[in-house]
């Protein structure tokens, strides 16, 4: 039987478009079906627009501290962000990147179908009134905001999700953020720097659960110093007329704000695919996949947020490449235990691998090394010595189990550990690798040396 295409990808986010390009480069006849905008959530309403807004907020904060760097002649009190101009910049940055993706899709001779796809059978979808047949399918339909049924909404609320919060043309004077995960904390930092009075309500004892709590604790302290209020172990129960009601330590409390941001997670977007009827198995709303991204139907793969494993853009892209390689007979498995994760605060957080608590819970015998940024020359030059590098190493063999870093440029430095862990390098190899001076990266081998009591710039 001849199909219209060798591989058809459903969804053009960082998972789907990367998979389509990779498949085209393998010489496959490729179709990409996207119903809204190429680039998906990441380029249009996630990674890129948030970081564009954060760049301006952080720059404003630096300008206000220009005097600390010997710069005179700036009226720091008058400096402010013009939201209309900021939003115009966001639109331009997004349009440039989406335009780039369009060019890549066209240049790789991928057929782009701008429609919503739904399965007819394991080798056929319907999209925009036409039937498309394909030898293989890769589902990359992403995720959407989770609106929790356990938080009742009553009265008239200015309720935002990250999608609306990115489009604000005026800064609300106060914001209550439900959820102290990545979205909650990045928006808390952004809105606080832009002038909002921010309160974060988090159910758990620590913010950003995937980060080692010693590191997230340092970030929380800094955010508090900047003026953000955290209400930890607060269970939000309802929102009524812009007042958020929550339980804390057995007591009922509330906070009123001009706007309320809901940030309690995202759920895989799999409705409307008709995937159940062709035998694809689910875990809740997530499509079940194995380490090679295969679903329960042999010719159908699922990558990115839709499989609910790790909801990060770089994971979606990597899974896309792995799925295509598997289809092309070059099987390679995903390693979810060494995925870098970055949080764009100021300074930044970057982590990979196990936290100290998780390593102990696994019964590992570990050594922990810490190096505080106060001992790092480049951080002092940058004017910000808050932060730490914390490493978790297997006590016997020096296997790198995890690194959690809070400091300037941390997100650009975690890749070193990603490479090291993929190459199964040990602590010794990081220590023996020459790191340039002056850089914040010098704090990494120092932390590994500290695990063995050998750090140089530490008593
Ligand atoms: P998506 O990007 O969601 O793309 C899926 C695409 O599929 C969409 O374009 C959609 O229109 C299309 N689609 C859905 N159903 C169909 C259908 N039936 N037919 C046709 N097309 C369909 N991750 C990071 O790594 N770093 C960050 O800094 C970061 N920041 C974020 C900030 C915010 C505010 C948010 C919300 C997310 C952020 N993320 C970040 C997460 C990141 O955006 C996602 O992990 C990533 O976009 C997932 O990629 P994906 O390809 O799986 O899905
Ligand atoms: P999340 O799962 O990271 O955090 C949600 C938080 O809400 C949790 O800490 C949870 O304890 C809390 N919560 C749940 N119910 C609550 C209640 N009733 N009251 C108070 N708090 C409650 O989800 P998110 O922050 O919405 O982010 C969604 C996804 O987007 C994540 O998977 C993340 O990986 C991705 N993302 C990544 C980045 C980045 O990489 N920089 C940025 C933004 C988003």
């Amino acid at each position: 039987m001849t199909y219209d295409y060798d591989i058809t990808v459903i969804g053009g986010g960082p998972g789907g478009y990367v998979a389509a390009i990779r498949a085209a480069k393998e010489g496959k006849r490729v179709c990409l079906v996207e119903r809204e905008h190429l680039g998906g959530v990441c380029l249009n309403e996630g990674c890129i627009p948030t970081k564009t807004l954060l760049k301006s907020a952080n720059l404003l904060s630096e300008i206000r501290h220009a005097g600390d760097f010997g710069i005179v002649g700036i009226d720091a009190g008058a400096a402010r962000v013009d939201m209309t101009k900021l939003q115009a910049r966001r639109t331009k940055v997004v349009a440039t990147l989406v335009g780039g993706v369009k060019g890549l899709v066209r240049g790789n001779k991928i057929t782009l179908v701008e429609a919503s796809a739904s399965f007819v059978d394991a080798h056929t979808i319907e999209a925009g009134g036409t039937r498309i047949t394909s030898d293989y399918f890769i589902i990359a339909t992403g995720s959407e905001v989770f609106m929790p049924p356990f938080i009742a909404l009553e009265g008239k609320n200015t309720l935002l999700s990250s999608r609306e919060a990115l489009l604000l043309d005026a800064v609300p004077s106060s914001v209550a953020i439900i959820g102290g995960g990545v979205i909650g904390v990045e928006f808390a930092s952004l809105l606080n720097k832009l002038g909002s009075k921010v309160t974060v309500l988090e159910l758990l004892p620590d913010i950003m659960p995937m980060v080692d709590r010693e590191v997230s604790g340092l970030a929380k302290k800094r955010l508090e110093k900047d003026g953000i209020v955290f209400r930890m172990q607060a269970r939000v129960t309802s929102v009524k007329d812009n007042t958020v009601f929550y339980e804390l330590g057995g007591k009922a409390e509330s906070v009123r704000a001009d706007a309320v941001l809901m940030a309690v997670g995202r759920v895989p977007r799999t409705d409307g695919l008709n995937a159940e009827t062709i035998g694809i198995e689910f875990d809740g709303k997530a499509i079940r996949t194995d380490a090679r991204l295969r679903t329960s139907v042999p010719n159908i793969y699922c990558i990115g947020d839709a499989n609910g494993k790790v909801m990060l853009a770089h994971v979606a892209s990597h899974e896309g490449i792995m799925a295509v390689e598997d289809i092309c007979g070059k099987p390679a498995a995903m390693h979810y235990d060494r995925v870098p994760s970055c949080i764009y605060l100021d300074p930044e957080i970057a982590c990979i691998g196990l936290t100290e608590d998780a390593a102990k819970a696994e019964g590992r015998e570990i050594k922990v090394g810490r190096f505080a940024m106060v001992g790092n020359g480049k951080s002092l030059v940058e004017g910000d010595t808050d932060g730490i590098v914390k490493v978790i190493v297997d006590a016997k063999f020096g296997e790198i189990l995890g690194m959690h870093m809070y400091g300037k440029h941390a997100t650009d430095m975690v890749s070193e550990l990603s490479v090291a862990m993929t190459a199964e390098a040990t602590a010794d190899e990081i220590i023996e690798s020459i790191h340039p001076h002056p850089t914040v990266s010098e704090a990494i081998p120092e932390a590994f040396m500290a695990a063995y009591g050998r750090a140089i710039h530490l008593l």
Side-chain angles (χ1 to χ4, degrees):
M1 158 107 199
T2 313
Y3 300 107
D4 298 335
Y5 296 98
D6 297 321
I7 301 179
T8 295
V9 183
I10 305 173
Y17 86 74
V18 168
I21 292 172
R22 181 53 184 259
K25 289 199 188 290
E26 291 284 344
K28 301 289 181 192
R29 295 171 303 137
V30 185
C31 176
L32 175 61
V33 189
E34 168 54 54
R35 70 173 174 203
E36 197 178 355
H37 31 219
L38 272 182
V41 166
C42 176
L43 265 60
N44 295 281
E45 52 189 270
C47 329
I48 296 299
T50 45
K51 276 71 214 182
T52 307
L53 300 191
L54 276 162
K55 169 69 196 173
S56 294
N58 292 341
L59 186 57
L60 175 67
S61 163
E62 277 195 25
I63 288 167
R64 287 186 174 149
H65 290 99
D68 300 347
F69 295 83
I71 296 165
V72 294
I74 290 175
D75 182 355
R80 66 183 183 89
V81 167
D82 178 326
M83 286 303 283
T84 309
K85 288 190 174 153
L86 175 53
Q87 292 297 6
R89 177 164 195 269
R90 173 188 57 77
T91 308
K92 197 171 159 199
V93 169
V94 169
T96 305
L97 282 176
V98 173
V101 172
K102 269 187 193 145
L104 288 171
V105 167
R106 210 179 305 121
N108 279 288
K109 302 198 171 26
I110 294 162
T111 304
L112 178 64
V113 175
E114 293 176 280
S116 198
S118 175
F119 281 99
V120 175
D121 60 45
H123 285 284
T124 315
I125 54 165
E126 192 169 86
T130 5
R131 289 200 169 193
I132 295 167
T133 61
S134 191
D135 198 0
Y136 288 92
F137 283 100
I138 299 177
I139 300 171
T141 49
S143 65
E144 57 201 2
V145 177
F146 174 55
M147 290 309 255
F150 47 83
I151 298 181
L153 303 175
E154 296 163 37
K156 220 170 152 235
N157 298 303
T158 308
L159 188 69
L160 312 170
S161 71
S162 59
R163 194 173 206 179
E164 293 83 36
L166 282 170
L167 306 176
L168 287 170
D169 53 10
V171 180
S173 61
S174 57
V175 183
I177 300 180
I178 307 175
V182 196
I183 292 185
V185 171
E186 283 189 353
F187 272 99
S189 174
L190 170 72
L191 292 166
N192 174 61
K193 281 179 192 261
L194 293 178
S196 280
K197 186 177 171 341
V198 178
T199 306
V200 178
L201 304 142
E202 168 56 47
L203 183 66
L204 300 175
D206 301 295
I207 55 170
M208 302 176 287
M210 78 296 289
V211 182
D212 189 282
R213 65 191 161 91
E214 193 176 339
V215 173
S216 64
L218 285 174
K220 179 166 165 275
K221 244 188 223 160
R222 167 71 171 258
L223 293 167
E224 282 171 332
K225 203 171 109 203
D226 291 346
I228 296 171
V229 174
F230 287 92
R231 306 296 282 148
M232 304 306 294
Q233 294 180 282
R235 181 186 296 275
V236 174
T237 50
S238 65
V239 184
K240 186 177 181 194
D241 298 323
N242 278 2
T243 299
V244 181
F245 294 90
Y246 57 96
E247 295 161 7
L248 204 165
K251 283 203 308 198
E253 296 188 9
S254 65
V255 57
R256 210 201 165 280
D258 287 348
V260 178
L261 173 64
M262 189 68 84
V264 296
R266 294 179 64 83
V267 281
R269 182 168 32 201
T270 48
D271 286 345
L273 272 175
N274 199 30
E276 308 82 346
T277 42
I278 61 158
I280 291 180
E281 287 171 10
F282 280 74
D283 288 318
K285 286 211 147 199
I287 291 177
R288 189 179 303 157
T289 52
D290 63 14
R292 283 154 64 178
L293 293 318
R294 292 173 300 192
T295 70
S296 48
V297 177
N299 68 311
I300 303 180
Y301 289 66
C302 179
I303 60 168
D305 286 11
N307 68 32
K309 288 207 164 112
V310 182
M311 289 191 178
L312 292 172
H314 42 282
V315 173
S317 300
H318 199 74
E319 287 177 335
I321 291 169
M322 295 285 108
V324 171
E325 292 203 345
D326 200 68
I327 291 169
C328 295
K330 305 176 199 168
M334 280 297 293
H335 293 276
Y336 293 103
D337 52 345
R338 47 175 196 244
V339 168
S341 179
C342 298
I343 300 137
Y344 295 79
L345 304 177
D346 181 24
E348 297 174 334
I349 293 179
C351 47
I352 186 165
L354 297 176
T355 62
E356 182 180 354
D357 288 345
K360 283 182 178 158
E362 281 188 8
R364 299 270 197 158
E365 221 177 288
I366 56 170
K367 282 186 184 294
V368 174
R370 296 175 181 80
F371 188 79
M373 293 304 182
V374 75
N376 173 263
K378 183 69 181 290
S379 296
L380 189 61
V381 170
E382 293 274 334
D384 198 336
T385 53
D386 273 359
I388 187 178
V389 177
K390 177 172 177 177
V391 297
I392 298 108
V393 182
D394 175 82
K396 201 165 174 197
F397 300 111
E399 180 192 354
I400 302 165
L401 301 177
M403 181 190 80
H404 298 256
M405 186 172 189
Y406 179 45
K408 282 285 182 192
H409 316 298
T411 63
D412 289 313
M413 285 183 286
V414 67
S415 309
E416 169 179 351
L417 267 290
S418 186
V419 174
M421 289 170 85
T422 301
E424 297 181 4
T426 63
D428 277 345
E429 273 127 2
I430 299 276
I431 294 167
E432 284 165 21
S433 304
I434 300 173
H435 288 68
H437 177 76
T439 60
V440 184
S441 73
E442 291 170 279
I444 296 174
E446 288 276 21
F448 279 99
M449 286 191 275
Y452 301 95
R454 295 198 260 131
I456 303 295
H457 296 91
L458 193 68
L459 283 177

